[in-house]
Amino acid sequence: MTSGVAAAAAAALIAGLPPCVPRAAAATLYVDGGRCAAIVEGAAPIPSETRAARELKRYLERVTGCTSAVLSEPDAPSGGPRIFVGATRRAADLGLAAERLGPEEWILRTDRDDLVLVGGRPRGTLYAVYHFLEDVVGVRWWNAFEETVPRRPTLAIGDLRRRGTPAFGYRDIYGVDRSPQFSARVRLNGSFQHLSPELGGGRDFGPPSHVHNFYRYVPPERYFGPHPEFFSERAGFRAAGRSQLCLTNGALADVVAGEVERFVEGAAAEARREGVPPPELFDVSPNDWGGACDCARCSAMAVATGARSGTLLAFVNRIADAVRRRHPDVLVDTVAYLQYFAPPHDVRARDNVVVRLAGLQRRDYLHGLRDPRNRAYRDAVRGWARVAPHLWIWDYLVTFADVPELPRPNLRYLAGDLRFYRRVGVQGMFVQADQPVVADLRDLKIWVLAHLLEDPSRSPEALIREFSDGYYGPAGASVRSYLRLLRTAARRFDGPVRFDTEPSGYGYLDASFFREAYRRFDRAERAVHGDAVLSRRVREARLSLDRALLARWPWLDVERLGGRLDRRRILGEARVTVERYVDARTRGPQAEAVRDRVLGALDDLAERGGSGSPR
C-alpha cells in the first residue's frame, strides 16, 4: 500500500471497530507457489453479492496468479485461508450481519486466516470488495478504459478493521464515459450511471425526465385552451410560451399529482416485467427558462414566504402528499433554479421531497464557496438546508459559453465545497461534466471527484498525486507542476469566471502562462518518451491546453509566446490527439459524429482565431 493510500484509509470515512473487540491475527491469503484462499459467498446472495465475489476472484487471480474457487458457504472448507463475501454466517458470527448495515455501508475484517468482506444491501458488499482491491491490494480503475493491476504472488494483508459509508447518499456525475462497471468501481450510484442490479442498482429517476418537466405533465397544446388558468399570468395575461405554471392553482396540483402517479405506476409495471427494482425518484420541476407566475395569489405567497420558491415548494408538497398515500417509498424531486433559487421561509419540504439546488448563474467558478465572491450562493445553501430535510446540490464542472470549460484550477476548492455541503446537511450530489473529449484534464478530475464524493475528508493533493503518478508515470510530477502554474495564474487574476464567460474573459490564461505551461508539458512528454501508452495519456492531458491556446489567441501577446507555439502546428497536434482519443473510447456509429463535432470546433477556433466577446 502506498503512503497516499494508507493515509486515505485512515480518513474519517473509515472508522475502526469498537476498541473492546479483540484484535485479530494478520492474514496471508496467497503464497507464491503455495496456498490459495477460497472465496466463499452466502447461501442466498443477491445479484450484486454474486458480482462482488466474481470480481474479487477475477482480480485476485490476476494479482497473485493463483486460481481460486467461488464456493457457497455450505461447501466451504473448514479452515483458512478463506474470503467470505456478503451475507454469510461467518460475518453474522462476528456481529457483522448484512441486514443490520446501511445500504452502502461496507466492512473489511480479518479474523485469524479469514477475511470478511461484507456490506449492507444492495451495494455495501460490492463496495467492500472494491475498497479491498483498491485500498489494500493496489488495483486502480483510472477511467472506463484503463486500469492498473499489480503483481503480488504473495498477498499478506495484515490485520484489517475498516468500515465506512459514503458521505453523500446520492453521487452522480453526468458526462462520465458510459460504463456502469467503472461507475460502480468508483462508487457512483446516481441515475446517470445506469447501474444494473448486479452492479448494485442505482438511485434512479423515473419518467418523464429528471428535470425541467412542467410542460411534460401539463402540455400547453392540450391544456392551455380549456385551462389557461393553469399557466403563468404575466403582465395581466395568461401565457404558455416559454412560461411556467400557476403554482397556487389547486386544480392544477391535482392534475400534476395524477400524472406523477401514472408515471410511478407505469415505471413500476415496467420494472416488474424486467425483473429490476422500480425507480425511486420522480421529478416535478420548472421549465428551463423564466416566466414565473405573477398572479395575485402567487405574488402574495411569494411575499409571505420570502421568495418565489415558496410557491414551488408548497406545490410540490401537495403533490408529494398525494403520491405518498399509495407509494410511500417514492421521493418527489424538484429543482431550485433561476427564479426559484432563493430559499423560502415558513415553508418546509415534506420528508418525501428532495430539493436540488442549482446555482448555475449565481457563483464564480474560479473560486470555492469560502471565497467572499460566492457568499450569496453559500447563504442560499444554508437557507435551503433549514427548510429541506433532503437537500441535494446540482453542481458543475462544465461551463456553458460558446467555448466551454477552459482550464480552471478547481480540484482543490471542490474538496472544500464538498466538505461545506456535508457540514450543512446536504445529502446528495449531482455534478454536470458535459465535455467528453476536450474537457480540462478530464480523467484526472473525474477520478478525484468520484473519490471526494464518497469521502470529502480526503486530501485533494494526495488524490491528485496518486492519480498523476499512477496514470502518467514519470510525467506525473510535470503534470502537477502544470496544475500549480494554473493555480498561481488564477490567483493573480481579479475577474470572475461565470457559467457563460467567453475566452476573452479568461485573463489569467495569458502568453506567459501558455509559454510556461507548454514547457511543463514538454518535460512531461520527454519523461515518458518511448512509452506509447504513457505518451498518449500525456497528449490527452495536454489537449485542453491546446484548445485553450486556440481559443485565447486573439487576446494574447503573441510575441511573448516564443517560436514553438505556432497556432497551426498546435492545431495539427490537437487533431491527431482527438482522432486517437475518439477511436479508443467511442464505439459504434456515434464515433464519427463525435469526431466530426470536436474536430470541427477546433478548426473553427483556429480559423476565426477564437473570436468572441464576454456575455
Side-chain angles (χ1 to χ4, degrees):
M1 182 185 296
T2 66
S3 58
V5 176
L13 174 68
I14 302 170
L17 292 171
C20 59
V21 178
R23 297 188 66 79
T28 300
L29 300 178
Y30 297 86
V31 177
D32 190 10
R35 64 182 185 176
C36 299
I39 297 174
V40 182
E41 62 183 1
I46 62 173
S48 62
E49 291 166 348
T50 296
R51 175 61 173 256
R54 271 56 183 178
E55 286 270 84
L56 184 67
K57 169 182 167 63
R58 174 178 174 232
Y59 278 98
L60 288 182
E61 287 179 355
R62 293 173 64 189
V63 169
T64 67
C66 190
T67 301
S68 299
V70 177
L71 305 171
S72 181
E73 193 167 18
D75 301 323
S78 58
R82 301 172 297 182
I83 307 176
F84 290 85
V85 179
T88 61
R89 290 195 309 273
R90 185 75 170 92
D93 290 344
L94 292 173
L96 308 176
E99 61 269 18
R100 299 178 62 181
L101 302 176
E104 297 186 317
E105 188 175 4
W106 55 268
I107 295 175
L108 318 181
R109 168 81 180 274
T110 51
D111 186 69
R112 297 185 295 276
D113 282 340
D114 291 338
L115 169 65
V116 173
L117 305 176
V118 63
R121 290 176 165 176
R123 288 176 289 278
T125 292
L126 204 61
Y127 290 177
V129 166
Y130 289 143
H131 269 287
F132 172 69
L133 290 172
E134 187 173 25
D135 300 344
V136 179
V137 179
V139 176
R140 292 292 181 274
W141 300 283
W142 302 119
N143 53 46
F145 309 94
E146 298 177 89
E147 61 186 21
T148 295
V149 181
R151 186 81 171 94
R152 297 176 63 182
T154 296
L155 184 59
I157 62 173
D159 177 19
L160 292 182
R161 292 172 170 273
R162 304 181 191 177
R163 70 189 303 164
T165 194
F168 298 102
Y170 184 93
R171 304 171 304 285
D172 208 358
I173 304 177
Y174 176 78
V176 175
D177 298 291
R178 184 164 175 174
S179 172
Q181 183 170 266
F182 172 70
S183 297
R185 288 169 176 168
V186 294
R187 279 83 70 186
L188 299 175
N189 71 352
S191 189
F192 281 95
Q193 307 314 310
H194 307 284
L195 299 170
S196 64
E198 71 168 8
L199 291 172
R203 302 192 65 184
D204 293 334
F205 280 84
S209 68
H210 82 114
V211 73
H212 301 320
N213 48 33
F214 273 2
Y215 280 6
R216 297 197 182 198
Y217 291 113
V218 188
E221 60 273 17
R222 175 182 172 188
Y223 282 98
F224 188 73
H227 294 287
E229 71 278 9
F230 284 0
F231 297 84
S232 291
E233 180 180 308
R234 301 160 63 190
F237 297 92
R238 297 286 173 175
R242 293 187 69 82
S243 189
Q244 304 292 347
L245 299 177
C246 181
L247 299 177
T248 56
N249 186 304
L252 168 69
D254 292 341
V255 168
V256 174
E259 288 296 296
V260 172
E261 288 197 70
R262 182 173 65 83
F263 280 117
V264 170
E265 290 162 3
E270 182 176 355
R272 285 193 297 271
R273 288 193 297 270
E274 296 180 358
V276 298
E280 173 189 8
L281 296 146
F282 289 82
D283 178 78
V284 179
S285 64
N287 301 319
D288 194 10
W289 50 68
C293 186
D294 290 324
C295 76
R297 284 196 310 264
C298 287
S299 297
M301 189 169 189
V303 171
T305 61
R308 285 189 186 274
S309 60
T311 63
L312 174 65
L313 197 51
F315 178 77
V316 172
N317 279 346
R318 179 166 177 167
I319 293 165
D321 287 343
V323 170
R324 188 205 304 265
R325 296 185 192 108
R326 296 178 59 191
H327 307 282
D329 295 329
V330 163
L331 294 175
V332 177
D333 169 90
T334 195
V335 177
Y337 178 62
L338 294 178
Q339 63 264 54
Y340 303 106
F341 169 80
H345 55 73
D346 297 332
V347 182
R348 183 173 176 80
R350 298 288 195 268
D351 60 7
N352 63 331
V353 167
V354 171
V355 175
R356 283 184 289 167
L357 177 63
L360 176 63
Q361 299 91 344
R362 308 303 180 106
R363 64 171 295 179
D364 175 3
Y365 289 95
L366 198 58
H367 301 91
L369 295 186
R370 290 178 294 183
D371 190 279
R373 282 165 280 204
N374 284 319
R375 180 177 179 179
Y377 176 75
R378 188 172 65 243
D379 290 345
V381 175
R382 289 196 177 103
W384 276 106
R386 287 191 287 269
V387 301
H390 302 298
L391 176 62
W392 297 1
I393 298 295
W394 184 316
D395 215 337
Y396 303 86
L397 282 184
V398 68
T399 54
F400 294 96
D402 289 338
V403 183
E405 204 168 342
L406 296 184
R408 288 178 291 132
N410 55 349
L411 276 176
R412 285 171 175 81
Y413 84 60
L414 278 171
D417 289 359
L418 291 171
R419 291 168 191 156
F420 167 76
Y421 292 142
R422 181 62 176 157
R423 193 163 57 247
V424 299
V426 170
Q427 296 180 357
M429 291 295 307
F430 173 85
V431 184
Q432 195 166 346
D434 287 11
Q435 300 294 318
V437 181
V438 294
D440 183 29
L441 287 172
R442 179 180 179 78
D443 289 326
L444 169 63
K445 289 189 174 182
I446 293 294
W447 189 88
V448 171
L449 176 60
H451 285 77
L452 288 173
L453 288 175
E454 185 184 26
D455 180 9
S457 72
R458 295 185 69 171
S459 161
E461 290 81 6
L463 287 168
I464 291 169
R465 177 177 290 274
E466 184 179 336
F467 184 94
S468 56
D469 283 344
Y471 192 64
Y472 302 116
S478 295
V479 172
R480 292 194 298 277
S481 176
Y482 162 74
L483 288 172
R484 289 193 296 271
L485 175 70
L486 181 61
R487 190 166 70 252
T488 299
R491 284 174 177 166
R492 295 196 297 260
F493 180 63
D494 290 332
V497 170
R498 301 293 183 187
F499 78 103
D500 58 354
T501 297
E502 295 291 356
S504 59
Y506 284 76
Y508 60 94
L509 301 179
D510 58 16
S512 62
F513 165 78
F514 282 112
R515 186 179 63 249
E516 293 302 320
Y518 275 97
R519 286 176 180 170
R520 283 155 174 76
F521 270 103
D522 287 345
R523 287 201 300 269
E525 292 185 30
R526 288 194 298 271
V528 296
H529 179 71
D531 188 312
V533 172
L534 295 181
S535 294
R536 172 184 53 77
R537 292 174 180 177
V538 170
R539 282 293 298 120
E540 289 171 356
R542 207 191 83 180
L543 183 59
S544 63
L545 182 66
D546 294 341
R547 176 171 170 268
L549 178 70
L550 297 174
R552 284 282 299 162
W553 193 269
W555 297 278
L556 299 179
D557 181 351
V558 178
E559 295 299 321
R560 298 188 62 192
L561 287 174
R564 181 202 181 288
L565 298 183
D566 175 79
R567 182 171 53 172
R568 290 294 170 183
R569 189 175 64 78
I570 294 295
L571 172 62
E573 293 175 351
R575 286 181 59 90
V576 171
T577 302
V578 168
E579 292 270 9
R580 292 174 178 171
Y581 184 105
V582 173
D583 286 345
R585 298 195 179 202
T586 309
R587 301 286 184 267
Q590 64 176 350
E592 184 174 353
V594 171
R595 183 186 299 107
D596 290 347
R597 176 173 55 81
V598 177
L599 292 178
L602 287 175
D603 290 343
D604 184 57
L605 281 178
E607 186 66 28
R608 62 189 176 93
S611 61
S613 58
R615 291 180 182 174

